[in-house]
Amino acid sequence: KNKSSHAITKLSYWYEGEEDEEGEEAYITEVVDFGAVAAKQKRKESTESHKLSELTGEALLCVYIEFEDGGDVVLESGQFLYDFQGKISLELKDSDENEVTAWLKAGEGLFNSTAVTGCDDVYYINPKDGYIE
């Protein structure tokens, strides 16, 4: 949900695994691109086909947001295992004229619990330069 007054020109997400013992680069799943999300609009997409079965061990959820204002950010959160089949939600709201508050949450079950994923974070983002607080 983009409840902010700032348009998003690109929104995508992926899961990123840990580096291996030799320091090799972390494994990244297929990037799912949602495209643009206008200000004061919401998008709802099924991510059911995007499974974590390629990963072994824990993975982070990574969300890329590119704002029309020029800034872009990558949010990283959580501890995901290969069998995560829950719901991911991202909500953005204006917090002041230069900042957007972003809530990123991924939960499972009837009550959308984040106990297993650890993904329930708040970020303060400047949409002009991508600065995260």
Side-chain angles (χ1 to χ4, degrees):
K1 297 177 186 175
N2 184 9
K3 295 181 176 181
S4 78
S5 59
H6 302 274
I8 296 171
T9 55
K10 183 173 181 167
L11 176 65
S12 54
Y13 89 99
W14 64 92
Y15 296 98
E16 188 170 310
E18 300 174 334
E19 292 180 354
D20 65 14
E21 292 84 31
E22 290 87 40
E24 293 294 318
E25 199 166 311
Y27 180 83
I28 297 175
T29 62
E30 176 186 352
V31 176
V32 177
D33 188 8
F34 291 105
V37 182
K40 307 290 184 190
Q41 297 293 315
K42 79 175 188 177
R43 298 266 316 261
K44 187 173 184 176
E45 302 281 339
S46 173
T47 58
E48 192 171 320
S49 63
H50 194 220
K51 302 292 184 198
L52 289 170
S53 57
E54 302 92 359
L55 296 175
T56 58
E58 296 178 357
L60 291 171
L61 170 64
C62 300
V63 177
Y64 175 75
I65 306 169
E66 182 178 287
F67 292 96
E68 187 176 60
D69 304 32
D72 65 328
V73 297
V74 175
L75 308 177
E76 297 178 333
S77 181
Q79 293 178 252
F80 293 83
L81 301 173
Y82 67 91
D83 60 350
F84 174 73
Q85 296 179 19
K87 178 181 172 184
I88 300 168
S89 60
L90 175 68
E91 184 174 315
L92 285 78
K93 286 185 179 179
D94 292 325
S95 51
D96 68 31
E97 64 184 50
N98 298 319
E99 199 172 73
V100 172
T101 303
W103 289 272
L104 178 59
K105 181 177 182 180
E108 296 183 296
L110 182 62
F111 299 108
N112 204 27
S113 171
T114 61
V116 173
T117 64
C119 181
D120 190 4
D121 295 319
V122 178
Y123 304 88
Y124 301 96
I125 305 166
N126 183 317
K128 292 184 171 106
D129 63 17
Y131 178 75
I132 301 174
E133 197 176 301

